[in-house]
Amino acid sequence: MKKNIWVATANINKVEEFKVLLPNYEIKSLLDFKEVLDIPEDFETFEENALFKAQTLYDIIDETVIADDSGLCIFGLDNFPGVKSARWASPEKDWNKINDKLLEKMLEHKLNSIDQRQASFVTVIAIFNKKLNIKEVFRGEIQGTILTKLTGNQGFGYDPIFAPSNHQNSFAQMSTSEKNKYSHRAIACQKLREFLDKI
Ligand code: IMP
């Protein structure tokens, strides 16, 4: 029987990616919870947010928890939206509008050429289990280009405007398995798997 790993997220897209990225584990998430658990992510770094999410869920279920905190860092905008990726456009929830708003911001800052449109997608995964004395973070980062318009309809969040370096296609034009070959989350998960293999 596979061991459980809890993921402190209610984002179904992230859950699906984790199922593929950690095939040796039974992935449980906030989607398996009856009550709604909305964990704030107000810290200044991905590391702090990821650890806080993992610790918050661990305090409730007392089992090993992982949590990721991710964001898109646009170099020409001083890494904006970065750690604020989930909330800078709040209360807007429509991802087409959020992505359009970000593209408008880039135009306002005259970020037109490919060189000016460079960005990186960052994921930090925290793993926490107080009883087992486990508290680690793993960072995954992939550089790419912000496209001039939304492209593709797979994936989620910023996927339609981000194409990894050396690829014409946006993440939203890729299947989950293709995105998982080189995404920020896949890189962080590889480090997590190496850690899990050792414990
Ligand atoms: P979170 O705080 O880790 O949930 O993520 C910050 C924001 O980035 C969320 O609004 C997500 O929709 C978005 N995001 C996180 N991971 C990805 C990804 O792999 N692709 C596209 N958008 C993402």
Side-chain angles (χ1 to χ4, degrees):
M1 211 173 73
K2 290 182 183 177
K3 271 194 201 161
N4 280 352
I5 278 202
W6 282 83
V7 187
T9 186
N11 180 329
I12 191 164
N13 299 288
K14 281 191 188 178
V15 172
E16 290 307 318
E17 289 189 10
F18 276 119
K19 281 184 182 167
V20 179
L21 291 166
L22 298 173
N24 297 337
Y25 292 86
E26 184 69 33
I27 301 296
K28 303 273 185 189
S29 74
L30 298 183
L31 299 171
D32 297 300
F33 255 49
K34 287 198 191 81
E35 68 209 84
V36 176
L37 185 63
D38 194 12
I39 307 175
E41 27 186 284
D42 299 332
F43 292 99
E44 292 298 315
T45 64
F46 295 114
E47 282 78 4
E48 288 168 298
N49 278 333
L51 265 173
F52 183 74
K53 290 187 224 181
Q55 285 169 342
T56 304
L57 183 57
Y58 174 85
D59 287 343
I60 298 169
I61 58 160
D62 210 20
E63 282 189 57
T64 302
V65 175
I66 60 171
D68 92 349
D69 196 57
S70 310
L72 183 61
C73 301
I74 301 176
F75 304 154
L77 296 177
D78 279 339
N79 290 335
F80 180 85
V83 77
K84 295 191 175 67
S85 290
R87 56 187 192 276
W88 72 277
S90 171
E92 183 58 68
K93 286 194 162 59
D94 178 334
W95 274 95
N96 288 338
K97 289 190 184 151
I98 294 173
N99 280 323
D100 276 337
K101 202 167 158 183
L102 195 51
L103 296 186
E104 271 166 36
K105 209 181 231 320
M106 294 188 65
L107 284 181
E108 281 162 24
H109 284 77
K110 305 197 181 343
L111 301 176
N112 299 314
S113 70
I114 289 198
D115 282 353
Q116 291 166 326
R117 305 179 73 82
Q118 291 301 296
S120 72
F121 239 133
V122 178
T123 286
V124 170
I125 300 179
I127 181 165
F128 188 78
N129 186 323
K130 194 172 175 187
K131 254 186 329 221
L132 302 180
N133 212 11
I134 296 174
K135 183 180 177 183
E136 300 285 339
V137 289
F138 308 96
R139 195 180 179 96
E141 209 165 327
I142 178 169
Q143 198 170 325
T145 307
I146 303 295
L147 303 176
T148 47
K149 60 178 171 44
L150 279 68
T151 314
N153 49 22
Q154 306 194 64
F156 66 102
Y158 299 104
D159 283 345
I161 59 166
F162 183 85
S165 298
N166 306 320
H167 287 82
Q168 302 297 325
N169 286 346
S170 76
F171 270 162
Q173 288 175 295
M174 299 179 188
S175 62
T176 305
S177 62
E178 196 184 353
K179 178 181 171 189
N180 280 343
K181 279 186 202 154
Y182 28 68
S183 79
H184 46 314
R185 192 162 293 105
I187 295 166
C189 259
Q190 171 64 29
K191 296 177 184 172
L192 171 66
R193 278 196 306 269
E194 284 164 16
F195 174 78
L196 288 168
D197 287 347
K198 279 193 253 151
I199 58 171

